[in-house]
Amino acid sequence: MSVEPEYVEQRAGKPKFLTRTPFTDFNLPPAVLAGLNDAGYAHCTPIQAQTLPVSLSHRDVAGQAQTGTGKTAAFLITIFSTVMALKDRPPGLPAAIIIAPTRELALQIYEDAKMIGGHTGLKMTQVIGGVDYQKQADILKSGTDIVICTPGRVIDYIKQGVFKTSGIKIAVIDEADRMLDMGFIPDVR
């Protein structure tokens, strides 16, 4: 009797083109390093090695690389490190926002964020279409640290006064070219 292997749908596998730059070369909080370890990440991909020194010094970054090269981990590392270091944050207001053009991408980012940020103690919230509107509004009202969202839903919450942007210190627009094509950039500004 043969047993069929169980197949699990997964994102792209770990990159096979790592640099010699370990994440321990950066002054990352222990909680972020623990999350990277949980994810099986020890060394940077090229996009991470190039962008982390810039983003971790609180400068703007625009990165372009193929799918599966570690862009998401790069911006998540920066977000977690930055938000954890903030002092005197307004209570209940998010300090970071990640905007993705589709709910599928927002869900993937959220899953990666739970893994890499799992030891940080930061509250991450998804704000996407196709999910109970009032439930998400209530979560936002109760307070969160990081919002991972699609533009349509978060713009609606901003217009309704549910989502307050005054505490945002770091913003990521993932696949900005796609958002431009979809006509969302004027709203995001």
Side-chain angles (χ1 to χ4, degrees):
M1 173 190 241
S2 69
V3 176
E4 290 294 316
E6 183 176 322
Y7 292 98
V8 178
E9 191 173 324
Q10 296 181 348
R11 294 188 65 194
K14 290 183 199 166
K16 295 177 177 44
F17 46 89
L18 300 175
T19 66
R20 293 180 186 216
T21 306
F23 287 108
T24 54
D25 277 5
F26 302 101
N27 188 24
L28 300 176
V32 175
L33 288 171
L36 289 167
N37 186 58
D38 289 350
Y41 300 148
H43 288 84
C44 294
T45 64
I47 189 80
Q48 294 163 345
Q50 292 171 352
T51 60
L52 284 172
V54 178
S55 63
L56 289 169
S57 64
H58 309 290
R59 291 182 287 164
D60 293 344
V61 174
Q64 184 176 4
Q66 292 181 320
T67 299
T69 56
K71 296 181 299 294
T72 301
F75 66 68
L76 288 172
I77 291 165
T78 300
I79 287 172
F80 295 136
S81 299
T82 301
V83 173
M84 290 179 73
L86 291 175
K87 305 287 186 244
D88 300 322
R89 280 188 45 220
L93 292 179
I97 186 169
I98 303 165
I99 307 170
T102 66
R103 68 185 296 247
E104 292 78 19
L105 181 57
L107 289 167
Q108 289 176 353
I109 294 167
Y110 181 74
E111 291 303 317
D112 287 350
K114 288 193 315 188
M115 173 67 73
I116 296 171
H119 298 276
T120 64
L122 297 173
K123 183 177 178 186
M124 295 163 265
T125 302
Q126 295 180 86
V127 176
I128 57 174
V131 177
D132 185 280
Y133 187 90
Q134 189 58 50
K135 184 177 178 183
Q136 286 183 356
D138 292 343
I139 291 169
L140 285 174
K141 288 177 185 175
S142 72
T144 190
D145 298 304
I146 299 165
V147 174
I148 301 165
C149 61
T150 53
R153 180 60 62 100
V154 81
I155 289 166
D156 192 38
Y157 284 138
I158 291 169
K159 288 177 179 176
Q160 297 292 325
V162 172
F163 180 64
K164 309 288 186 211
T165 60
S166 59
I168 301 290
K169 301 296 182 203
I170 187 168
V172 170
I173 300 174
D174 201 5
E175 294 191 15
D177 57 336
R178 197 160 167 201
M179 292 239 254
L180 185 62
D181 291 342
M182 295 168 74
F184 280 117
I185 294 301
D187 287 323
V188 171
R189 286 187 183 145

